[in-house]
Amino acid sequence: MQRSLYISPDKCTGCLQCEMACSFEHEGNFNPAKSRIKVFTFHTEGRFVPYTCTQCDEAWCKSACPTEAITLDAATGAKMVNDGLCVGCKVCTIACPFGTINYNTTTGKVMKCDLCGGDPACAKACPTQAITYIDAEGTGYDKMRTWASRTDTQTAAQA
Amino acid sequence: MQYVVIGAGPAGVTAAETIRKQDPSGEVILIGDEPEPAYSRMAIPYYLADKIPEQGTYLRHDPKHLDSLGVRQLKQRVTRVDSAARQLQLAGGGALGFDRLLLATGSDPVKPPIDGLDQPGVHHCWTLEDARNIVKYAQPGSHVVLMGAGFIGCIIMEALAERGVDLTVVEMGDRMVPRMMDQESGNLIKQWCIDKGVTVHTSTRVTGVKANASGAARITLSCDPVGTLEADLVVVAAGVKPAVDYLRDSGIELAQGVVVNEYMESSVPGIYAAGDTCEGIDWGSDGQHAVHAIQPVAAETGRIAALNMCGEVTPYPGSMAMNVLDTLGLVSVSYGQWMGVPGGDEVHRLDSDEYRYIKLQFNGDRLIGAITLGRTEHVGVLRGLIQSRTRLGKWKQHLMEDPTRIMEAYLGATQLTQG
Amino acid sequence: MSWQKKILRVNLTEGSCTAEPLNMQWAADYLGQRGLGSKYLVEEVDPKVDPLSPDNKLIFATGPLTGTASSTSARYSVITKGALTGAIACSNSGGYFGAELKFAGWDMIIFEGKAPKPVYLYINDDHAELIPADEIWGKSVWDTDKILHAKHQDPQLKISAIGKAGEEGVMYACIVNDLHRAAGRSGVGTVMGSKNLKAVAVRGTKGVSVKDPMRFMQTVMEKKKILAENPVTGQGLPTYGTQVLMNVINEVGALPTKNASVVQFDGASKISGEAMHEPRASDGKANLVTNQACFGCTIACGRVARIDKEHYTVKNRPEYWGASGGLEYENAWSLGADCGVDDLEALTFANFICNEQGYDPITFGATLAAAMELYEMGVITDEDTGGVKLNFGSAEALTTMAEQVGKGEGFGMILGLGSKRLCEKYGHPELSMSVKGQEFPAYDPRGIQGMGLTYATSNRGACHLRSYTVASEILGIPEKTDPLVTEGKAGLVKAFQDATAAVDSSGLCVFTTFAWTLEDFYPQIDAACEGEWTLERLAQTGERIWNMERQFNMAAGFTAKDDTLPKRLLTEPASSGPAAGKVNGLDKMLPEYYELRGWSKEGVPTPDTLRSLGLS
């Protein structure tokens, strides 16, 4: 069974160890600005929400790519950016309704979560199990998947 | 069942793939009139800038990809569609029948009504062949005049600047990218270009193009009100229009493009259109139609049309105007009804010194349009908020106070229980 | 590696921002943050300078591990000559600002001179510029944060700012970053205000590299595990924060109460960490909303609290209804026990105001406590206070005065002087519970003897964070010592002072030392930093820093006479609890301490000592 990142915002303390682990895995240094996972802070509510790509089935980024630079990793289900093919046109960044594929001004390519080949560094670095990597069935990705389908079907209903 | 797809761009290729997936036994024929494998015009500027080889523009990298799917490919030009006879006329002579037809012939560049555009040294920037010509003439130090500062003009500007040319841009509109950017952001892009050493003339019209027999440069342009400009190369990027000339006597309803319903079907049953060619429902406009000649819409409408062609009834809510543009390193994005609607609310922030701008348009507590400049992070969520018609509740007020908090608004309105 | 090797020099008088290379010889000798920032100050500033003159400098310094995957890698320090004390000041803060400064490519910022008009510094990676502060001058820290985020259109911008207190010259103004983390003590914010510098806003996208990435990550993983498995850093601090101490310290009879006139507080349990978890009778919700980590921290001791909307302090004031930084132990003590106030919501409100307007709650609470004692003695009158009854135990006096100090109004102007100047003004200097001008915090040296020596010898004036012997004397870390005896405390204090100086120079948080010793620090530093970092080198670096700070203070005019405690602690015995009948035995500890330090009987480092540390 494929596994997914499962995020429990209630357990997040806002330490950003995930962002450091992610940037270290992908960039070789500690640089939250280049992290594929981001923690958003809701100061007046005292909440912290880690957020990254759900590897959604719709794969808006993948279908929008004009150079077939985004492909499916069959083993993990991750949508992968091939830097050799990405021309940096950024069309995927406006197509993804989650805002989870972003342009990296340093490399001139886009970047997104690739599940670290099936062993996500963010989950390993999280000290409170706010981010875990578990069987895809029944994870809290439901909420985000619902969002994905809303972008599709609700708009259809309105049309 | 014989499916024929005319046009081997993103819409056509996506459609052919989708048809094959839906109907493994049907005959699928993809017709394209350019000699190269299916490629992506979006990638041409990067080819021009020497960032990728020509193969880097190809839509699919496995040369046998379409063959392996059993998609027959014809390098041909369709001259006429006979709707009643269910037949296509081909330029090389001969005809081809179809049961289901997809029109995905894309756009043609607009050729402004100016004398002298048909001469050596004047090129459109649309096809790979055009790109090769531009590469040949845009040598370091040469004088290049770019006619049109729309989306395509801006996107090839970097490629030209990187080739070290002396670049002048002439735009009829009062700002740059007038169809995608408002006054403030369009002016900011202009100032950015000027800072980067590009000469920019907005509200300026090219009135004539002549071969220059005496001077150093090959061509002389007359401009109103600027006067005379000299150029070694003129690149025409005056916009595009749906490529539908071959459909004039087909009986298919045309406006700017092929008018389609929510199933991407034209006025003639069994004939569909997708991508730049189609004039579909303009998302969020109460059923009006529009042409959205952009990559994501091409892929999406190609897929939706194919599903419907195969009997998988799939309505499409309409396409939304959305664009991302990189003008010499300044990234701009626009979505939906960025010009706002009567009775709606607008918020914007402008920081001219840092070339940053953001504008959000609301109708009630729903986001309906946006423009951003100088921002690359999480912009996609604007699309999500607009197209899902998310009710922002208290987050609208937060956005009115600080419109950059789009991710917080999205997460707050959709992921967190309101508390 | 790990150092960015670049510092930003900002001349406020001229309005210039200049990059210069970090002095790597100094980095090798002083590590970073506290040590390295102090080295620059010592080299560049005349110790006799008036802290509020343009000739004083203000240094924001990160450590080599700031912004790395080491746990608690958030830290930066502000180093200057302290407004409150006239001694070398080094105030340490967490949050996210310090790491962001590092990510922008800077180890340190040195501010010099004074801006002709209020400005703030904007940093976007290599780009640094001074911008007129017209739209934020006069605004609170919280409003400044909001305005600058919107203006620069960057939610990721990290902001460190002074509030009204720093502008108005409150002598213990602090510098607040990320809304509620602060370089809190000694009036570093007052110095910032005197320079017409309102804020520093920074965005960094360059990242931090380390020398041996694989070894570093391996080491960091091991050390994080130690923190997670330790009962204090793994459970006590995340659950109760530093407030885990309130009941403990009260029970051992070391909770200074009502200006340290007594050592136990009847209302302690009502303002404790446990109380913050209890559902309120009024609205059924707990004061505590959640715990929060600073950048990189796997402990997460920070408190996020929300005030009851019906409480008198915030009724009809929705701007205070949201969650924000809650009570740390020191603040709950100063605002609570020391003023005799046991209203948890009122303390939380006063704490919010301290963050919002940018001043140190420890000194504020201790100053108010002194004023309350003078009021009850009849020395301060209703006329002085504008009619506010400054009785011990009055929550209303506390919250009214907190707002007055924040706005620089009324009696708040007098309270803004700090207890030393206030008590001198009213003719009772002995009632200021301060050393070298700075109020001691929440541990009474009659009940915890080692803390007496800690306060007396602290280079920045009384402070618990210079050698937290509470760890040993109360919590048994690294080994238990008897809090009521003086024997062995001189050595304990010296060892803690030196180790803490090293930790404070690394970029990591001193709270890790509940679980870690220098044995756990040096492998992280060695894997990250150039050169070979051993336990011995790290320990010696700490001792070098301590002696350097001492030299600065001696040159500034401090002498052994200043290594003392308020008379009350030395002459008035504790009246209750395990320490009943005891005063602090400083006289028994201090000579031994000087000897262990290699200092003369007059407390002056001997030439041999200086030479052995490379300081001569």
Side-chain angles (χ1 to χ4, degrees), chain C residues 26 121 308 411 433 435 441 511 520:
Chain C
W26 292 355
L121 176 66
D308 176 4
F411 192 64
M433 296 299 120
V435 178
F511 284 8
D520 299 294

Side-chain angles (χ1 to χ4, degrees), chain A residues 88-95 103 110, chain B residues 42 46 151-152 154-155 177 180-181 294-296 321-327 330-335 372 375-376 379-380:
Chain A
C89 75
K90 311 169 199 68
V91 167
C92 56
T93 72
I94 62 165
Y103 182 63
V110 294
Chain B
M42 273 302 292
Y46 304 92
F151 181 81
I152 293 164
C154 283
I155 212 162
V177 234
M180 157 177 177
M181 288 285 130
I294 49 177
Q295 173 86 23
M322 56 176 159
N323 253 318
V324 59
L325 175 61
D326 187 333
T327 313
L330 180 61
V331 178
S332 52
V333 169
S334 73
Y335 279 112
T372 70
R375 175 178 307 274
T376 58
V379 286

Side-chain angles (χ1 to χ4, degrees), chain C residues 168-477:
Chain C
E168 298 288 341
V170 169
M171 295 301 282
Y172 45 90
C174 53
I175 300 170
V176 182
N177 57 277
D178 305 291
L179 299 172
H180 59 87
R181 308 303 313 188
R185 303 220 68 192
S186 314
V188 295
T190 319
V191 174
M192 185 154 156
S194 76
K195 296 188 170 305
N196 269 337
L197 176 64
K198 178 67 180 177
V200 181
V202 60
R203 174 77 161 113
T205 67
K206 296 159 84 99
V208 176
S209 300
V210 291
K211 178 178 71 181
D212 185 341
M214 289 310 156
R215 177 156 62 97
F216 181 75
M217 286 306 264
Q218 184 63 39
T219 309
V220 159
M221 293 269 267
E222 287 165 20
K223 302 308 176 190
K224 284 196 281 200
K225 196 154 176 275
I226 294 173
L227 293 177
E229 289 168 358
N230 179 281
V232 177
T233 53
Q235 284 169 20
L237 284 173
T239 309
Y240 295 112
T242 51
Q243 271 276 62
V244 69
L245 289 165
M246 181 62 74
N247 288 325
V248 176
I249 301 297
N250 191 46
E251 275 159 30
V252 301
L255 187 67
T257 298
K258 297 182 180 175
N259 203 32
S261 57
V262 292
V263 295
Q264 288 183 309
F265 179 45
D266 289 342
S269 67
K270 290 189 186 172
I271 60 169
S272 65
E274 290 83 344
M276 289 170 72
H277 275 271
E278 289 292 318
R280 288 182 286 242
S282 49
D283 65 352
K285 292 180 182 158
N287 174 274
L288 185 75
V289 174
T290 186
N291 62 325
Q292 177 178 3
C294 293
F295 180 88
C297 177
T298 57
I299 303 173
C301 75
R303 302 291 93 183
V304 177
R306 193 185 277 133
I307 303 170
D308 176 4
K309 289 176 189 173
E310 294 300 313
H311 191 261
Y312 78 87
T313 49
V314 300
K315 200 163 184 171
N316 302 320
R317 297 171 82 181
E319 65 271 30
Y320 295 108
W321 290 354
S324 192
L327 291 167
E328 305 294 330
Y329 168 60
E330 316 300 330
N331 311 358
W333 160 78
S334 64
L335 305 169
D338 206 29
C339 294
V341 178
D342 64 4
D343 178 344
L344 186 66
E345 302 299 300
L347 305 192
T348 306
F349 176 76
N351 195 56
F352 276 21
I353 299 298
C354 289
N355 287 327
E356 186 188 20
Q357 297 300 356
Y359 59 93
D360 172 16
I362 299 181
T363 287
F364 165 67
T367 303
L368 180 59
M372 284 174 159
E373 185 163 1
L374 289 164
Y375 180 82
E376 295 202 339
M377 287 162 65
V379 178
I380 290 175
T381 64
D382 283 349
E383 198 180 331
D384 295 314
T385 66
V388 180
K389 310 280 184 212
L390 283 195
N391 294 100
F392 280 121
S394 168
E396 211 150 328
L398 170 74
T399 56
T400 304
M401 286 304 148
E403 297 208 71
Q404 287 195 4
V405 170
K407 291 176 184 152
E409 292 172 1
F411 192 64
M413 293 294 280
I414 308 297
L415 288 170
L417 294 170
S419 71
K420 179 168 182 277
R421 291 172 177 84
L422 181 141
C423 292
E424 281 168 357
K425 177 181 161 72
Y426 288 103
H428 288 274
E430 77 284 0
L431 291 183
S432 167
M433 296 299 120
S434 63
V435 178
K436 300 185 179 77
Q438 178 159 290
E439 295 72 11
F440 69 78
Y443 312 90
D444 197 298
R446 290 166 293 197
I448 308 175
Q449 291 286 321
M451 291 307 283
L453 185 61
T454 290
Y455 296 156
T457 59
S458 163
N459 286 326
R460 68 164 184 176
C463 170
H464 56 300
L465 290 170
R466 285 297 176 270
S467 56
Y468 194 69
T469 61
V470 177
S472 166
E473 298 179 85
I474 304 297
L475 304 172
I477 299 168

Side-chain angles (χ1 to χ4, degrees), chain C residues 62-217:
Chain C
T62 64
L65 297 185
T66 305
T68 69
S70 280
S71 185
T72 76
S73 64
R75 313 305 296 190
Y76 78 104
S77 288
V78 179
I79 297 116
T80 187
K81 184 172 172 176
L84 186 68
T85 57
I88 193 165
C90 173
S91 295
N92 186 310
S93 182
Y96 302 90
F97 173 87
E100 196 75 17
L101 178 61
K102 193 84 177 280
F103 294 138
W106 306 97
D107 291 305
M108 205 184 278
I109 312 170
I110 301 178
F111 292 100
E112 47 195 39
K114 176 183 178 176
K117 285 188 174 155
V119 292
Y120 70 97
L121 176 66
Y122 173 67
I123 300 174
N124 187 354
D125 286 338
D126 293 330
H127 173 78
E129 69 172 312
L130 290 167
I131 299 176
D134 302 347
E135 66 217 297
I136 48 175
W137 194 258
K139 295 280 198 293
S140 71
V141 170
W142 294 358
D143 285 342
T144 298
D145 191 275
K146 200 181 276 182
I147 292 166
L148 291 184
H149 272 113
K151 177 180 174 187
H152 290 283
Q153 297 180 38
D154 188 354
Q156 300 294 326
L157 200 63
K158 303 292 185 270
I159 292 160
S160 184
I162 57 168
K164 284 273 281 178
E167 298 176 19
E168 298 288 341
V170 169
M171 295 301 282
Y172 45 90
C174 53
I175 300 170
V176 182
N177 57 277
D178 305 291
L179 299 172
H180 59 87
R181 308 303 313 188
R185 303 220 68 192
S186 314
V188 295
T190 319
V191 174
M192 185 154 156
S194 76
K195 296 188 170 305
N196 269 337
L197 176 64
K198 178 67 180 177
V200 181
V202 60
R203 174 77 161 113
T205 67
K206 296 159 84 99
V208 176
S209 300
V210 291
K211 178 178 71 181
D212 185 341
M214 289 310 156
R215 177 156 62 97
F216 181 75
M217 286 306 264

Side-chain angles (χ1 to χ4, degrees), chain B residues 360-408:
Chain B
L360 304 180
Q361 296 285 3
F362 302 91
N363 192 356
D365 68 349
R366 292 184 168 105
L367 188 70
I368 55 166
I371 289 177
T372 70
L373 204 65
R375 175 178 307 274
T376 58
E377 286 168 326
H378 315 302
V379 286
V381 85
L382 290 166
R383 177 193 185 177
L385 284 170
I386 294 169
Q387 281 203 308
S388 67
R389 298 175 189 264
T390 295
R391 300 207 57 166
L392 290 162
K394 67 177 180 182
W395 291 99
K396 181 190 171 187
Q397 190 49 41
H398 289 307
L399 287 172
M400 292 297 288
E401 285 163 21
D402 184 351
T404 66
R405 305 274 176 175
I406 49 177
M407 276 305 289
E408 286 88 341

